Amino acid sequence: MTSNDFSSARGTPRHDLKSSPAATVSAGPGPGPAPADLLRRLRARGAADPVTHVERVPARAGVPAPWPSWAPAELRTAFTGRGVVAPWQHQAEAANLAYEGTHVVVATGTASGKSLAYQLPALATLLADPRATVLYLAPTKALAADQLRAVAALELEGVRPACYDGDTPRTEREWIRRHSRFVLTNPDMLHHGILPGHAQWSGLLRRLAYVVIDECHTYRGVFGSHVAHVLRRLRRQCARFGATPVFVLASATSGDPATAAGRLTGLPVTAVTEDASPRGGVTFALWEPPLLPPDSGSSSPVPPQATGDGSSPSEPGRATGDGSSRSAPPQATGGHDELRQVRRSALRETADLLADTVAEGVRTLAFVRSRKGAEVVAANARRALDDAVPGLGDRVAAYRGGYLREERRELERALLHGDLLGLASTNALELGVDLVGLDAVLICGYPGTRASLWQQAGRAGRSGQEALAVLVARDDPLDTYLVHHPEAIFGAPVEATVLDPANPYVLAPQLACAAVEAPLTPADLALFGEGAKEAVDELVAAGALRQRPTGWYWRHRERPEVDLRGEGGAPVAVVESSTGRLLGTVDGGSSHFLLHSGAVYLHQGVSYVVDQLDLADGCALVHAEEPDWSTHARDVTDLSVVSVRSYVDAGPVGMFLGEVDVTSQVVSYQRRRIATGEVIDTRPLDLPTRELRTVAVWFTLSPQSLALAGVQPADVPGALHAAEHAAIGLLPLMATCDRWDIGGLSTALHQDTEAPTVFVYDGHPGGAGFAERAYGTAAAWLRATRDAIAECGCETGCPSCVQSPKCGNGNNPLSKPDAIRVLDVVLTNLPG
């Protein structure tokens, strides 16, 4: 079922909820309409049908298996009491492999019960051996807390499960070290707390039977490479205590999970991939917000992709200041012209849909790309619901990183118990938190990978009921491409997880951490893999390690500071000036963009203005205020080529892969009227520069080839700039990344290449594998880029093709027709 009439989509902004065709507004989570009926109602509420495609994912019956003979009766009874009559076939297969001592990864769909696959052998071993222990690792605190609830609910004597993370009170930590036999934590705490204090954790490590790594597909890029070495450090300490634990990994469906799990753990891993669990049917709609009238201005209180997140890397930009450094928030957009919306904001569209579904009594989770975006969607949905039924807006909230522990736990409880009907969340709730009873999922913008898309869509329908999933497209080249090419979503395999433990920017600091824990030996170097000896030699030359006959020793008193997640330093506390109350935190890499002096900061719908950012003390002082303007940081970026790894000589075109140095600095911010997007003023900032050595792919063209293609010299900067924006937007089709993982720069004459050049680079120190993937698939990547620009219906370029939501140079200059000519020259000459 598709809709191809896009010419009529120039409708008016969406309805007022009070005039909705819905006859009643539900006050509680009733059964709600069927997904197909709900979608029909949602489609009918606008002036034109926004749905470009509907995919029906059919229901599936489950294939049960008998309980393993080694599972004790006590454990089977506990699971049966929680409603698990028998395991599904994939659960039993993975559990048997793990119990027999085989390292295993179970890679099946959302809500397929992967947790039973590791709980069964782990808990059976704990019951059989009163001295055995289990370590469980989750990428988020919410997931670990959810697993703690699940294990504790089994009420198994002697297991004593406990969460050990940054929120754990110090009074409880000693008890956990001494008594808990099932410790649930995260890689950060393993890195910062358990491994450095391995002597205090000797009881756990000496008797460690299983290491469970949940949602292991999230360990990709630089973060995944760091975690890979943290796991090698764990294996090293276990071996020193005489333990050889079995690794059991759980992953969303992904390409080649055995290889990825093996790269993560450094061990041979067997994959279980046949999903035997039952699944309710899913109605999956692709939703393109309507075009706005040319003179309507902005209908949104924030720019359309004002996602405001610093938790994921972003798109640094051109030499003229297009974009930002690695941690720039997506709201770092350009000037007033960019705010003249071509399409209705995906944030506003998602907020309206969330209000509509809550009004229908449908329990809904809306995934939003960023922290600020989640706040905006929740605030707009609450406002619409309160206008219709005063007080109903209280049934909607935001959920994101940076909240205090008490806030997060209360929101999780309220959603689980039905006190909340709608939640706007970042991907913090994408993972396996058991949100039973959700009826619909709204996905505001393509999350970057098909794996994440299906993971988010799978949050609904977890009890086997029919579910609705809606992908709301942003005005972005990739989103526009996908909603008009549904086969790229529904007909394509899920991506493989990309990580590179040999990245020297990861390997060297991890070896330093290992040397602090115990002197390195030649045998250890084999454990850490390719490049370890070279990295150790560099650490010796730098004076960090001292070589002795017994190994390499750490020379300094302080431990090395290693940030696993690459977020740019320690979190910055957000403190209310008048009361001293801690509101939350922002990662250090985002602080220049989100917490500069004068910035507007949102927290649970309340607006604050930053008085002062103290980077030395890691603190931002704010006061409550609701100005009629928003703030948008701007930066300048420069790039120099360090070395070339590989290149293709294609006559007038060159394609290169190599190392580059990127220097960026936030230099100013704009204040814009919320109602109109009008730029009030631009104010200077004095913040330190940031430097990044990373990996880039770039192509050069001869001036003669551009002239022959009809690109005039004056139009070359706009042509390259437009091609760069679109290429960044389309790269996630080829690599396991999203556009916030990568950066770009274009120039008509680069000082190192001495030619017109477009660079696209990884936004992480040392690279994350994305540029390599782009280089390896250059022809296909740039062909898709060229097609996306050519197929867009606009005349001069828009956010759906060549404009960037984060262009620090105000999306100027841009030339859509000349970008097509540039890419034609590249594709004509590049082998393919």
Side-chain angles (χ1 to χ4, degrees):
M1 180 165 53
T2 61
S3 173
N4 296 314
D5 182 14
F6 305 113
S7 62
S8 62
R10 297 180 179 273
T12 58
R14 285 176 58 81
H15 63 287
D16 183 336
L17 190 65
K18 290 182 285 189
S19 61
S20 166
T24 60
V25 178
S26 172
D37 292 336
L38 175 61
L39 179 60
R40 192 175 301 113
R41 296 188 198 184
L42 296 175
R43 297 172 76 171
R45 293 179 181 182
D49 187 1
V51 174
T52 63
H53 179 82
V54 176
E55 188 81 9
R56 169 66 182 166
V57 181
R60 178 185 64 211
V63 181
W67 288 104
S69 58
W70 45 261
E74 177 186 359
L75 183 57
R76 295 198 301 268
T77 300
F79 278 122
T80 303
R82 300 296 296 174
V84 182
V85 178
W88 304 114
Q89 188 168 291
H90 67 279
Q91 294 171 325
E93 180 184 353
N96 277 315
L97 286 168
Y99 195 78
E100 293 165 0
T102 300
H103 307 294
V104 61
V105 56
V106 53
T108 52
T110 307
S112 60
K114 292 184 284 289
S115 57
L116 184 66
Y118 55 73
Q119 288 175 1
L120 193 54
L123 294 172
T125 299
L126 294 184
L127 293 174
D129 180 359
R131 293 175 58 80
T133 60
V134 171
L135 182 66
Y136 168 95
L137 298 174
T140 67
K141 294 176 183 178
L143 181 54
D146 183 74
Q147 283 296 304
L148 175 62
R149 287 190 291 265
V151 174
L154 296 172
E155 298 180 341
L156 298 170
E157 186 176 354
V159 173
R160 299 188 293 272
C163 269
Y164 186 83
D165 58 33
D167 292 337
T168 305
R170 295 200 173 274
T171 55
E172 297 178 15
R173 296 188 178 192
E174 179 62 25
W175 183 93
I176 294 172
R177 283 193 290 264
R178 289 180 176 273
H179 301 293
S180 177
R181 299 177 60 217
F182 196 122
V183 176
L184 301 99
T185 187
N186 51 63
D188 310 83
M189 206 65 179
L190 179 61
H191 164 63
H192 289 293
I194 295 176
L195 290 175
H198 54 82
Q200 295 175 296
W201 289 91
S202 59
L204 175 83
L205 298 174
R206 181 175 289 111
R207 301 187 290 271
L208 193 59
Y210 290 96
V211 177
V212 177
I213 306 174
D214 208 353
E215 305 290 358
C216 67
H217 63 283
T218 62
Y219 301 124
R220 63 177 180 86
V222 170
F223 177 42
S225 302
H226 272 297
V227 173
H229 288 299
V230 172
L231 295 177
R232 285 158 175 77
R233 288 162 50 200
L234 172 64
R235 290 173 50 205
R236 178 174 179 251
Q237 290 301 325
C238 288
R240 294 179 69 237
F241 287 112
T244 55
V246 175
F247 283 74
V248 187
L249 303 94
S251 170
T253 303
S254 64
D256 199 3
T259 298
R263 191 176 294 122
L264 183 66
T265 61
L267 296 164
V269 179
T270 299
V272 174
T273 58
E274 292 297 322
D275 192 337
S277 64
R279 182 185 64 194
V282 178
T283 300
F284 203 134
L286 304 183
W287 186 289
E288 187 173 42
L291 291 165
L292 293 174
D295 59 348
S296 66
S298 174
S299 68
S300 174
V302 291
Q305 285 83 25
T307 55
D309 190 7
S311 61
S312 61
S314 64
E315 175 190 325
R318 304 190 317 119
T320 52
D322 160 1
S324 60
S325 65
R326 184 192 59 79
S327 297
Q331 83 270 22
T333 53
H336 176 60
D337 289 343
E338 184 186 341
L339 291 178
R340 294 176 62 87
Q341 295 303 286
V342 175
R343 289 199 178 273
R344 195 161 189 268
S345 161
L347 289 177
R348 176 58 71 89
E349 196 81 350
T350 302
D352 282 348
L353 288 172
L354 180 59
D356 290 343
T357 55
V358 168
E360 295 275 7
V362 175
R363 293 181 63 185
T364 306
L365 181 60
F367 283 107
V368 189
R369 293 283 299 266
S370 69
R371 297 177 179 184
K372 185 174 181 180
E375 295 277 4
V376 168
V377 167
N380 285 353
R382 283 195 296 262
R383 188 179 303 115
L385 288 165
D386 281 334
D387 286 346
V389 178
L392 188 58
D394 293 340
R395 309 296 294 277
V396 174
Y399 184 103
R400 61 171 176 82
Y403 285 173
L404 302 181
R405 177 192 187 188
E406 295 75 16
E407 290 179 290
R408 295 196 305 270
R409 297 295 173 264
E410 175 58 25
L411 289 167
E412 292 162 18
R413 185 207 64 77
L415 187 65
L416 287 168
H417 289 81
D419 298 335
L420 288 174
L421 277 178
L423 200 64
S425 172
T426 59
N427 63 359
L429 289 180
E430 173 183 323
L431 306 179
V433 178
D434 192 11
L435 303 177
V436 177
L438 288 175
D439 305 301
V441 165
L442 308 173
I443 303 169
C444 182
Y446 183 62
T449 65
R450 287 179 288 273
S452 288
L453 181 73
W454 288 108
Q455 190 81 349
Q456 292 181 3
R459 291 298 94 198
R462 289 180 64 92
S463 297
Q465 73 269 30
E466 294 283 318
L468 174 66
V470 180
L471 171 61
V472 181
R474 293 168 303 148
D475 218 353
D476 169 270
L478 180 57
D479 285 35
T480 302
Y481 182 90
L482 291 173
V483 295
H484 292 280
H485 295 81
E487 69 280 0
I489 294 176
F490 301 108
V494 176
E495 306 88 349
T497 303
V498 177
L499 65 149
D500 179 18
N503 181 340
Y505 289 86
V506 172
L507 181 54
Q510 286 292 335
L511 285 167
C513 292
V516 175
E517 293 155 8
L520 291 168
T521 66
D524 293 330
L525 301 188
L527 173 67
F528 287 96
E530 178 186 353
K533 181 60 169 65
E534 293 80 2
V536 165
D537 290 343
E538 290 181 7
L539 289 169
V540 171
L545 296 182
R546 172 176 294 165
Q547 185 172 8
R548 293 178 176 173
T550 53
W552 291 273
Y553 288 73
W554 181 247
R555 298 187 60 180
H556 304 297
R557 180 173 300 176
E558 301 81 10
R559 286 180 48 82
E561 294 185 5
V562 179
D563 179 9
L564 297 189
R565 297 178 187 262
E567 293 178 343
V572 175
V574 183
V575 177
E576 191 171 30
S577 302
S578 59
T579 65
R581 180 169 63 103
L582 176 65
L583 297 176
T585 61
V586 169
D587 63 87
S590 302
S591 60
H592 290 206
F593 296 87
L594 297 180
L595 297 176
H596 59 76
S597 297
V600 176
Y601 174 79
L602 293 176
H603 186 88
Q604 277 292 9
V606 179
S607 174
Y608 297 85
V609 173
V610 178
D611 299 315
Q612 178 186 357
L613 171 61
D614 188 332
L615 292 171
D617 290 339
C619 177
L621 299 178
V622 303
H623 68 272
E625 183 181 342
E626 293 192 12
D628 63 352
W629 38 265
S630 57
T631 54
H632 309 269
R634 305 184 66 161
D635 75 340
V636 293
T637 302
D638 196 12
L639 181 150
S640 61
V641 175
V642 176
S643 64
V644 175
R645 291 185 186 176
S646 180
Y647 71 94
V648 175
D649 185 349
V653 172
M655 182 67 64
F656 300 83
L657 177 72
E659 286 79 25
V660 298
D661 280 336
V662 181
T663 303
S664 61
Q665 182 182 22
V666 175
V667 295
S668 63
Y669 70 97
Q670 289 182 341
R671 296 192 306 158
R672 302 182 189 152
R673 297 283 182 202
I674 290 177
T676 64
E678 173 193 358
V679 176
I680 301 171
D681 56 23
T682 299
R683 299 189 172 190
L685 292 170
D686 182 19
L687 291 167
T689 60
R690 286 175 167 171
E691 296 182 357
L692 170 71
R693 177 162 291 187
T694 186
V695 178
V697 58
W698 66 93
F699 61 82
T700 62
L701 306 95
S702 71
Q704 295 82 1
S705 67
L706 293 175
L708 288 173
V711 182
Q712 299 301 314
D715 297 328
V716 170
L720 299 176
H721 191 187
E724 171 218 327
H725 281 180
I728 288 172
L730 269 293
L731 182 55
L733 277 179
M734 308 297 164
T736 311
C737 65
D738 59 36
R739 74 179 300 151
W740 316 125
D741 284 321
I742 48 184
L745 181 146
S746 59
T747 177
L749 180 64
H750 192 268
Q751 68 272 15
D752 295 326
T753 66
E754 298 182 345
T757 309
V758 171
F759 293 89
V760 175
Y761 57 85
D762 293 354
H764 300 266
F770 309 135
E772 284 94 335
R773 178 66 176 163
Y775 181 78
T777 60
W781 165 43
L782 296 177
R783 172 65 61 188
T785 301
R786 192 260 183 216
D787 291 345
I789 300 173
E791 292 172 4
C792 185
C794 71
E795 293 183 7
T796 60
C798 69
S800 295
C801 58
V802 299
Q803 290 185 8
S804 167
K806 304 185 66 272
C807 179
N809 202 47
N811 282 298
N812 183 47
L814 289 176
S815 175
K816 173 183 175 178
D818 288 320
I820 297 173
R821 296 184 182 101
V822 163
L823 292 169
D824 282 340
V825 172
V826 174
L827 292 167
T828 298
N829 290 278
L830 196 66

